[in-house]
CSV table of all heavy atoms in Angstrom, one decimal:
chain,number,residue,atom,x,y,z
I,892,GLU,N,32.4,2.2,22.8
I,892,GLU,CA,33.6,1.4,22.8
I,892,GLU,C,34.7,2.1,22.0
I,892,GLU,O,35.9,2.0,22.5
I,892,GLU,CB,33.4,0.1,22.1
I,892,GLU,CG,34.6,-0.9,22.0
I,892,GLU,CD,34.2,-2.2,21.4
I,892,GLU,OE1,33.2,-2.3,20.7
I,892,GLU,OE2,35.1,-3.1,21.4
I,899,GLY,N,24.3,6.6,11.5
I,899,GLY,CA,23.6,6.7,10.3
I,899,GLY,C,23.8,8.1,9.6
I,899,GLY,O,24.8,8.3,9.0
I,903,VAL,N,28.6,10.0,16.3
I,903,VAL,CA,28.6,10.3,17.7
I,903,VAL,C,30.0,10.2,18.3
I,903,VAL,O,30.6,9.2,18.2
I,903,VAL,CB,27.6,9.4,18.4
I,903,VAL,CG1,27.6,9.7,19.9
I,903,VAL,CG2,26.2,9.6,17.9
I,912,LEU,N,30.7,2.6,32.1
I,912,LEU,CA,29.6,1.7,32.6
I,912,LEU,C,29.9,1.3,34.0
I,912,LEU,O,28.9,0.9,34.7
I,912,LEU,CB,29.5,0.5,31.7
I,912,LEU,CG,29.3,0.7,30.2
I,912,LEU,CD1,29.3,-0.6,29.5
I,912,LEU,CD2,28.1,1.5,29.9
I,920,VAL,N,20.8,0.2,26.8
I,920,VAL,CA,21.3,-0.2,25.5
I,920,VAL,C,20.3,0.2,24.4
I,920,VAL,O,19.2,-0.4,24.2
I,920,VAL,CB,21.6,-1.7,25.4
I,920,VAL,CG1,22.2,-2.0,24.1
I,920,VAL,CG2,22.4,-2.1,26.6
I,926,PRO,N,20.4,-5.6,13.9
I,926,PRO,CA,20.5,-6.3,15.1
I,926,PRO,C,21.2,-7.6,15.0
I,926,PRO,O,21.5,-8.3,16.0
I,926,PRO,CB,19.0,-6.6,15.3
I,926,PRO,CG,18.3,-6.5,14.0
I,926,PRO,CD,19.1,-5.4,13.3
I,955,ALA,N,17.6,-5.0,22.4
I,955,ALA,CA,17.4,-6.3,23.0
I,955,ALA,C,18.4,-7.3,22.4
I,955,ALA,O,18.7,-8.3,23.1
I,955,ALA,CB,16.0,-6.8,22.9
I,965,ASP,N,18.8,-15.0,28.9
I,965,ASP,CA,18.4,-16.4,28.7
I,965,ASP,C,17.4,-16.8,29.9
I,965,ASP,O,17.7,-16.5,31.0
I,965,ASP,CB,19.6,-17.3,28.8
I,965,ASP,CG,20.4,-17.2,27.5
I,965,ASP,OD1,20.0,-16.5,26.6
I,965,ASP,OD2,21.5,-17.8,27.5
I,997,ASN,N,12.0,-7.4,34.3
I,997,ASN,CA,12.4,-8.6,35.1
I,997,ASN,C,13.1,-8.3,36.4
I,997,ASN,O,13.6,-9.2,37.0
I,997,ASN,CB,13.3,-9.5,34.2
I,997,ASN,CG,12.5,-10.2,33.0
I,997,ASN,OD1,11.6,-11.0,33.3
I,997,ASN,ND2,12.9,-9.8,31.8
I,1000,PHE,N,16.8,-6.8,34.7
I,1000,PHE,CA,16.9,-6.6,33.3
I,1000,PHE,C,15.5,-6.2,32.7
I,1000,PHE,O,14.5,-6.9,33.0
I,1000,PHE,CB,17.4,-7.9,32.6
I,1000,PHE,CG,18.7,-8.4,33.2
I,1000,PHE,CD1,18.7,-9.6,33.9
I,1000,PHE,CD2,19.8,-7.7,33.0
I,1000,PHE,CE1,19.9,-10.0,34.5
I,1000,PHE,CE2,21.0,-8.1,33.5
I,1000,PHE,CZ,21.1,-9.3,34.3
I,1005,GLY,N,9.8,-0.6,20.3
I,1005,GLY,CA,10.5,0.4,19.6
I,1005,GLY,C,10.0,1.8,19.9
I,1005,GLY,O,8.9,2.0,20.4
I,1050,ASP,N,-0.3,-7.0,9.0
I,1050,ASP,CA,0.9,-7.6,8.5
I,1050,ASP,C,0.9,-9.1,8.8
I,1050,ASP,O,0.9,-9.5,9.9
I,1050,ASP,CB,2.2,-7.0,9.2
I,1050,ASP,CG,2.8,-5.8,8.4
I,1050,ASP,OD1,2.1,-5.3,7.6
I,1050,ASP,OD2,3.9,-5.5,8.7
I,1070,ASN,N,-10.9,-17.4,3.9
I,1070,ASN,CA,-12.1,-18.0,4.6
I,1070,ASN,C,-12.2,-17.6,6.1
I,1070,ASN,O,-12.7,-18.4,6.9
I,1070,ASN,CB,-12.0,-19.5,4.5
I,1070,ASN,CG,-12.2,-20.0,3.1
I,1070,ASN,OD1,-13.4,-20.2,2.7
I,1070,ASN,ND2,-11.2,-20.2,2.3
I,1078,ALA,N,-10.2,-29.5,12.7
I,1078,ALA,CA,-10.4,-30.6,11.8
I,1078,ALA,C,-10.7,-30.1,10.4
I,1078,ALA,O,-10.2,-30.7,9.4
I,1078,ALA,CB,-11.6,-31.4,12.2
I,1079,ASP,N,-11.4,-29.0,10.2
I,1079,ASP,CA,-11.6,-28.4,8.9
I,1079,ASP,C,-10.3,-27.9,8.3
I,1079,ASP,O,-10.0,-28.2,7.1
I,1079,ASP,CB,-12.5,-27.1,9.0
I,1079,ASP,CG,-13.9,-27.4,9.5
I,1079,ASP,OD1,-14.4,-28.6,9.2
I,1079,ASP,OD2,-14.5,-26.6,10.2
I,1098,GLN,N,7.1,-24.4,11.4
I,1098,GLN,CA,7.3,-23.4,10.4
I,1098,GLN,C,6.8,-22.0,10.7
I,1098,GLN,O,7.2,-21.0,10.2
I,1098,GLN,CB,6.6,-23.9,9.1
I,1098,GLN,CG,7.1,-25.2,8.5
I,1098,GLN,CD,6.5,-25.6,7.3
I,1098,GLN,OE1,6.1,-24.8,6.4
I,1098,GLN,NE2,6.3,-26.9,7.1
I,1109,ARG,N,-5.2,-14.6,15.1
I,1109,ARG,CA,-4.4,-13.4,14.8
I,1109,ARG,C,-4.8,-12.8,13.4
I,1109,ARG,O,-4.9,-11.6,13.3
I,1109,ARG,CB,-2.9,-13.7,14.8
I,1109,ARG,CG,-2.4,-14.1,16.1
I,1109,ARG,CD,-2.0,-12.8,16.9
I,1109,ARG,NE,-1.4,-13.1,18.2
I,1109,ARG,CZ,-0.9,-12.2,19.0
I,1109,ARG,NH1,-0.9,-11.0,18.6
I,1109,ARG,NH2,-0.4,-12.5,20.1
I,1112,ILE,N,-8.0,-10.9,13.7
I,1112,ILE,CA,-7.8,-9.6,14.4
I,1112,ILE,C,-7.2,-8.6,13.4
I,1112,ILE,O,-7.5,-7.4,13.3
I,1112,ILE,CB,-7.0,-9.8,15.6
I,1112,ILE,CG1,-7.8,-10.6,16.7
I,1112,ILE,CG2,-6.7,-8.3,16.2
I,1112,ILE,CD1,-9.2,-10.0,17.0
I,1115,ALA,N,-9.7,-7.4,11.1
I,1115,ALA,CA,-10.6,-6.5,11.8
I,1115,ALA,C,-10.0,-5.2,12.0
I,1115,ALA,O,-10.7,-4.1,11.8
I,1115,ALA,CB,-11.0,-7.1,13.2
I,1118,LEU,N,-10.5,-3.3,8.7
I,1118,LEU,CA,-11.8,-2.9,8.5
I,1118,LEU,C,-12.2,-1.7,9.4
I,1118,LEU,O,-13.0,-0.8,9.0
I,1118,LEU,CB,-12.8,-4.1,8.7
I,1118,LEU,CG,-12.7,-5.2,7.7
I,1118,LEU,CD1,-13.6,-6.4,8.1
I,1118,LEU,CD2,-13.1,-4.7,6.3
I,1128,ARG,N,-20.9,-5.9,12.9
I,1128,ARG,CA,-20.8,-6.3,11.6
I,1128,ARG,C,-19.4,-6.8,11.3
I,1128,ARG,O,-19.1,-7.9,10.7
I,1128,ARG,CB,-21.2,-5.2,10.6
I,1128,ARG,CG,-21.1,-5.6,9.1
I,1128,ARG,CD,-21.5,-4.5,8.2
I,1128,ARG,NE,-21.3,-4.9,6.8
I,1128,ARG,CZ,-21.6,-4.1,5.8
I,1128,ARG,NH1,-22.2,-2.9,6.0
I,1128,ARG,NH2,-21.3,-4.5,4.5
I,1132,GLN,N,-17.8,-10.4,10.0
I,1132,GLN,CA,-17.1,-10.5,8.7
I,1132,GLN,C,-15.8,-11.2,8.9
I,1132,GLN,O,-15.2,-11.8,8.0
I,1132,GLN,CB,-16.8,-9.0,8.2
I,1132,GLN,CG,-18.0,-8.3,7.6
I,1132,GLN,CD,-17.6,-6.9,7.2
I,1132,GLN,OE1,-17.4,-6.0,8.0
I,1132,GLN,NE2,-17.6,-6.7,5.9
I,1136,GLY,N,-18.5,-15.4,16.2
I,1136,GLY,CA,-19.9,-15.7,16.3
I,1136,GLY,C,-20.7,-14.7,17.1
I,1136,GLY,O,-21.9,-14.6,16.8
Side-chain angles (χ1 to χ4, degrees):
E892 182 179 11
V903 173
L912 303 180
V920 185
D965 287 357
N997 289 296
F1000 305 112
D1050 265 19
N1070 291 273
D1079 295 329
Q1098 299 181 38
R1109 291 275 182 173
I1112 295 301
L1118 293 173
R1128 179 177 176 182
Q1132 286 177 291

